[in-house]
Amino acid sequence: GAVVSQHPSRVICKSGTSVKIECRSLDFQATTMFWYRQFPKQSLMLMATSNEGSKATYEQGVEKDKFLINHASLTLSTLTVTSAHPEDSSFYICSATWNYEQYFGPGTRLTVT
Amino acid sequence: GQQLNQSPQSMFIQEGEDVSMNCTSSSIFNTWLWYKQDPGEGPVLLIALYKAGELTSNGRLTAQFGITRKDSFLNISASIPSDVGIYFCAGHASGTYKYIFGTGTRLKVLA
């Protein structure tokens, strides 16, 4: 149990375009999901908390208009990177809480050219 | 954002050796989690701890919830090459909705 998937696993996009990343809890319902960003050889940086049926809570310094989060159902949260730029290239990972434990998706490698 | 201090930052060990790492916080937590992350993948939950003083094992891994509730320890016995990766601790405080992650310990095992 407690499996989280992400799609796509890798994406390359051109500067100025938008990219949507999906995070799904496959065998449980998650009212709360988290989105992280990870730079090479660094720890996980929490970007925002996604709440089903309500607005996401963004961490300080994260642009909510650039990183749009939608949690439309109990099993799906999406992160849209709008008007992507090369500095947005990173590894994005989502997680969901089940039974007080946090389970991560496999991550999405975003490269903006 | 806030991060927990993990020690050591990185370590090289010989195959078969035991490994110890720890995680410390300035605040009290009521849950500690330990994860392993392989390159290009998401972290995988190894052990969860819920009670001060709790000692929990998962195969060759053993983790402990410090009695002060401000630290946690992870031990790996008889390391093997596939133990290579980054180990993260994460703590959760009562009344909050998110976990705070450690800085990570990068483990390299020499065959």
Side-chain angles (χ1 to χ4, degrees):
Chain A
V3 179
V4 178
S5 70
Q6 268 182 255
H7 178 80
S9 57
R10 290 177 175 271
V11 57
I12 301 173
C13 70
K14 292 188 176 181
S15 187
T17 62
S18 296
V19 174
K20 180 185 285 188
I21 303 170
E22 292 186 348
C23 178
R24 293 181 184 273
S25 55
L26 298 185
D27 51 1
F28 65 103
Q29 293 184 330
T31 55
T32 302
M33 291 183 174
F34 301 92
W35 287 96
Y36 294 84
R37 184 173 180 177
Q38 187 177 36
F39 293 102
K41 298 187 178 181
Q42 292 190 23
S43 187
L44 304 160
M45 183 190 82
L46 180 64
M47 298 175 65
T49 302
S50 172
N51 304 295
E52 189 268 335
S54 65
K55 292 183 179 180
T57 303
Y58 290 83
E59 295 298 299
Q60 190 173 6
V62 177
E63 299 175 60
K64 62 180 181 180
D65 294 331
K66 180 167 188 61
F67 298 100
L68 300 179
I69 292 173
N70 183 274
H71 195 149
S73 77
L74 289 173
T75 59
L76 173 64
S77 175
T78 60
L79 169 67
T80 301
V81 183
T82 62
S83 187
H85 291 283
E87 57 264 31
D88 298 325
S89 298
S90 191
F91 192 54
Y92 293 87
I93 317 174
C94 71
S95 72
T97 301
W98 180 76
N99 199 27
Y100 303 105
E101 297 168 357
Q102 199 169 148
Y103 292 86
F104 285 88
T108 297
R109 172 74 58 191
L110 170 63
T111 303
V112 184
T113 61
Chain B
Q2 181 188 358
Q3 280 191 325
L4 305 176
N5 291 318
Q6 274 188 252
S7 179
Q9 188 174 16
S10 64
M11 55 195 313
F12 286 84
I13 60 169
Q14 293 285 342
E15 183 177 358
E17 288 184 345
D18 295 344
V19 176
S20 292
M21 62 189 77
N22 66 69
C23 190
T24 59
S25 167
S26 58
S27 53
I28 291 173
F29 290 128
N30 59 0
T31 303
W32 284 96
L33 303 179
W34 282 93
Y35 292 87
K36 178 177 183 275
Q37 185 179 27
D38 291 327
E41 299 182 15
V44 174
L45 182 63
L46 301 173
I47 293 179
L49 303 162
Y50 301 103
K51 188 177 176 181
E54 180 182 352
L55 190 70
T56 298
S57 293
N58 177 6
R60 294 178 296 106
L61 278 63
T62 301
Q64 184 164 24
F65 194 138
I67 57 174
T68 66
R69 297 173 63 191
K70 291 184 177 182
D71 55 10
S72 182
F73 310 88
L74 177 69
N75 296 308
I76 304 173
S77 63
S79 59
I80 59 178
S82 62
D83 290 334
V84 166
I86 305 175
Y87 292 80
F88 290 105
C89 62
H92 179 265
S94 177
T96 65
Y97 60 89
K98 58 186 178 182
Y99 276 86
I100 306 300
F101 279 81
T103 49
T105 294
R106 187 178 299 271
L107 179 64
K108 298 187 180 182
V109 180
L110 305 174

